[in-house]
Every structure is written in C-alpha cells, then in structure tokens.
C-alpha cells in the first residue's frame, strides 16, 4: 500500500476473497498472484472479478506455467525414474493444493471466456521466493527428501537457465 501511495494511487484494497470486494467496487486494477491455481472454479472467480472492474479495467494474474521449464524437466525426471519419483506432485501434496495449472493457451481461453481481452502474457523464471518455498517443502522420509532435492535442483536449474516457470497475464475488461 505504501508503494501505491508513493506512486499516486489513492485507494488500495487488499482482499483474500472476492465476496468482500463488492462494497469497494468498481476497481481500476485487480491483481491475483499465486491464486488461480488454488481455485476450485477459476472461471467463476474471473467472472465475478469482471463485474468488479470498471470497463477497460486491468486484471493481472500470475500462475505456474504448465509448459514451463520446471514442469517439463519434472515430467522428464518422472519418466527417467520409471514413474517412481513424481516431482510434479511434490508441491501439490502440500496444502493448499494446486487444483489447476495453466498454459499460455488455456489461460488466454479462460480469460476471454469470462469477458477479458488478453493484452500480454509473459513467462517468468522461478525467482528466489519460489525457490525458498521449494527448500521448505519437505516431509520426513527418504522418498520425500529425494523429491525435495529434485524439486530444488529443478528450480535452481530453471532460475540459472532463465527458463520460465510461471506466467503473468495482463488482461482488460471488455
């Protein structure tokens, strides 16, 4: 909020749920970082956000990239381990669960089906915060420790190689 005020933004509202946003609408900008993948019905949430944005309002969404480098390497590691070590499910086994993972194409389709026009969708690399999350995501046992090490190696590799692991989408309400 301090950064917004410094940049001349008069009103910033932070909400953990869409239903508490109604009284503060309409909004010029709505952001969702690391949220879409946890929603049981992301289409419904986007439809509700569409109603809360002013016409021409901006929606910014960040979510894991189904076709990103980490997920591609993890699928390769899964096949190489003869389907014994499922690195992809390492994070999903931890609450809160990821329900969906979007590719560039599926994210555009979902946004457009809910009345948004995708302006730009960019790939982002893992970054230090995401890597720190991976380092903390451990469970007891050799198998869990192996998964954790593989996840950490994949995240570090992606970050070093600059390969995208996440998508950030900018969309306008039409």
């Amino acid at each position: 909020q301090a950064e917004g005020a410094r940049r001349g933004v008069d009103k910033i509202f932070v909400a953990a749920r869409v239903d508490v946003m109604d009284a503060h609408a309409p909004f010029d900008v709505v952001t969702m970082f690391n949220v879409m993948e946890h929603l049981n019905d992301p289409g419904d949430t986007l439809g509700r956000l569409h109603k809360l944005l002013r016409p021409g309002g901006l929606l910014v969404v960040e979510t894991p990239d189904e076709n990103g480098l980490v997920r591609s390497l993890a699928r390769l590691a899964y096949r190489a381990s003869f389907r014994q070590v499922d690195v992809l499910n390492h994070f999903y086994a931890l609450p809160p669960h990821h329900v969906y993972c979007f590719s560039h194409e599926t994210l555009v389709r979902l946004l457009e089906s809910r009345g948004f026009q995708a302006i730009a969708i960019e790939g982002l690399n893992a970054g230090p915060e995401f890597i720190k999350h991976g380092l903390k995501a451990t469970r007891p046992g050799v198998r869990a420790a192996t998964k954790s090490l593989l996840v950490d190696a994949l995240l570090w590799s992606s970050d070093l190689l600059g390969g995208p692991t996440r998508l950030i989408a900018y969309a306008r309400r039409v």
Side-chain angles (χ1 to χ4, degrees):
Q1 289 181 338
E3 179 62 23
R6 187 179 75 72
R7 293 179 180 244
V9 176
D10 296 329
K11 180 174 120 179
I12 298 175
F13 179 74
V14 179
R17 296 187 342 250
V18 174
D19 59 333
V20 300
M21 296 171 65
D22 292 338
H24 303 277
F27 294 96
D28 294 317
V29 178
V30 172
T31 62
M32 289 195 313
F33 296 98
N34 304 305
V35 173
M36 289 277 290
E37 63 271 20
H38 301 279
L39 299 174
N40 287 325
D41 191 345
D44 178 66
T45 300
L46 288 177
R48 293 167 70 191
L49 291 175
H50 183 272
K51 293 175 184 173
L52 297 174
L53 276 166
R54 293 184 202 284
L58 182 66
L59 175 68
V60 182
V61 174
E62 182 185 340
T63 188
D65 182 357
E66 171 64 24
N67 297 324
L69 182 60
V70 166
R71 291 186 64 84
S72 298
L73 291 173
R75 283 190 288 270
L76 182 64
Y78 179 63
R79 287 191 296 272
S81 72
F82 302 101
R83 294 178 164 51
Q84 295 301 304
V85 180
D86 189 357
V87 181
L88 282 176
N89 287 325
H90 179 76
F91 287 108
Y92 305 115
L94 302 170
H97 303 289
H98 287 190
V99 180
Y100 291 97
C101 193
F102 300 93
S103 67
H104 181 281
E105 295 78 19
T106 59
L107 188 54
V108 167
R109 273 198 309 270
L110 181 60
L111 288 165
E112 290 179 352
S113 75
R114 295 306 190 255
F116 292 95
Q117 176 190 13
I119 300 168
I121 298 183
E122 301 170 5
L124 303 171
N125 66 0
E129 289 306 311
F130 195 72
I131 291 169
K132 277 196 270 183
H133 171 73
L135 293 170
K136 286 192 247 176
T138 58
R139 291 183 178 191
V142 173
R143 190 175 191 141
T146 303
K147 285 182 186 179
S148 183
L149 287 171
L150 284 170
V151 167
D152 296 340
L154 291 172
L155 291 172
W156 281 106
S157 298
S158 172
D159 200 45
L160 290 172
L161 296 171
T165 60
R166 311 193 59 68
L167 295 171
I168 187 160
Y170 304 89
R172 290 237 178 261
R173 178 184 179 226
V174 289

